[in-house]
């Protein structure tokens, strides 16, 4: 039973952190947070040990559970890993041998991104952009890369959700994704890789420039 309650607490708090329901830079008392997710304090503490190992929270004596912002250095590293994985995937892919179901899923997410842009639906955008990028890696069939990509997307999810809340959703990214899909369909790997690499560099620079001016989202440190 303890393991089940700990896992329940872990999944609940993790989701709340990644969705920004628990705000970065804020403290939450153990007792109040335990009541909020309907568990006792012991499984909550055990769950927070795992979350601390993932760099999402930090238990602070007499203050509670601190929701850690992503550091600027960490964000740089996450974006670099994501770029490396996506560029590898593009180099690996062969339109003649792609799994049809995975390819259709990729194109589905692309269409949903167009719909999200037309509707100015930030929540839909965040969900399907992550889906598109995960689908690109899934096409390689490399499970280790897929797990690594999932971890990187989790790390950046809070940042991307915050960007959407700020009204800075990068709607034009869907055009870059569309050009990527078209190049892959033509079998033009060089164009696909070159244009996507340029897009990744530009979007990373824009994201970091935006976030540098937001107090508490990145580079904040807890006070004892």
């Amino acid at each position: 039973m303890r393991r089940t309650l700990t896992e329940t607490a872990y999944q609940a708090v993790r989701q709340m952190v990644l969705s920004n329901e628990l705000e970065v830079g804020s403290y939450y008392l153990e007792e109040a947070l335990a009541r909020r997710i309907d568990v006792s304090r012991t499984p909550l503490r055990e769950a927070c040990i795992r979350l601390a190992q993932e760099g999402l929270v930090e238990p602070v004596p007499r203050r509670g559970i601190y929701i850690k912002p992503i550091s600027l250095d960490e964000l740089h590293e996450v974006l670099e890993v994501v770029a490396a994985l996506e560029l590898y995937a593009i180099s690996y892919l062969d339109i003649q041998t792609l799994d049809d179901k995975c390819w259709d899923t990729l194109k589905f997410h692309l269409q949903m991104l167009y719909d999200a842009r037309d509707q100015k639906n930030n929540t839909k955008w965040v969900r399907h952009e992550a889906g598109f990028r995960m689908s690109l890696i899934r096409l390689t069939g490399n499970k280790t890369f897929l797990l690594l990509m999932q971890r990187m997307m989790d790390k950046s999810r809070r940042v991307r959700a915050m960007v959407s809340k700020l009204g800075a959703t990068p709607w034009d990214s869907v055009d870059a994704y569309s050009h990527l899909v078209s190049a892959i369909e033509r079998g033009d790997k060089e164009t696909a890789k070159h244009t996507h690499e340029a897009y990744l560099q530009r979007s990373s620079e824009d994201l970091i420039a935006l976030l540098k001016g937001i107090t508490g989202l990145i580079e904040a440190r807890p006070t004892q």
Side-chain angles (χ1 to χ4, degrees), residues 17 20 33 85 91 100 119 136 149 159 173 194 210 218 220:
V17 171
N20 286 316
L33 188 54
L85 289 171
S91 298
D100 289 341
Q119 299 161 6
L136 181 62
M149 184 65 166
V159 172
S173 294
H194 176 74
L210 173 67
I218 58 175

Side-chain angles (χ1 to χ4, degrees), residues 107-133:
K107 295 184 73 172
F108 166 75
H109 287 300
L110 179 62
Q111 182 56 57
M112 291 300 99
L113 285 172
Y114 273 113
D115 291 349
R117 183 172 71 175
D118 291 343
Q119 299 161 6
K120 294 296 184 287
N121 187 324
N122 291 318
T123 301
K124 187 174 184 178
W125 175 273
V126 170
R127 181 171 68 253
H128 287 289
E129 185 187 33
F132 179 89
R133 303 182 84 162

Side-chain angles (χ1 to χ4, degrees), residues 39-58:
V39 299
S40 66
R41 294 173 67 177
T42 298
L44 174 64
R45 287 173 182 167
E46 294 172 348
C48 286
I49 291 173
R50 288 179 62 185
L51 293 167
Q53 292 171 343
E54 295 178 14
L56 295 177
V57 307
E58 180 178 346

Side-chain angles (χ1 to χ4, degrees), residues 3 19 28 31 51 57 81 93-94 106 141 143 214-215 220:
R3 288 185 179 179
S19 66
Y28 294 86
E31 186 175 353
L51 293 167
V57 307
V81 173
L93 299 181
D94 182 346
L106 180 83
K143 294 180 180 179
I214 304 176
T215 302

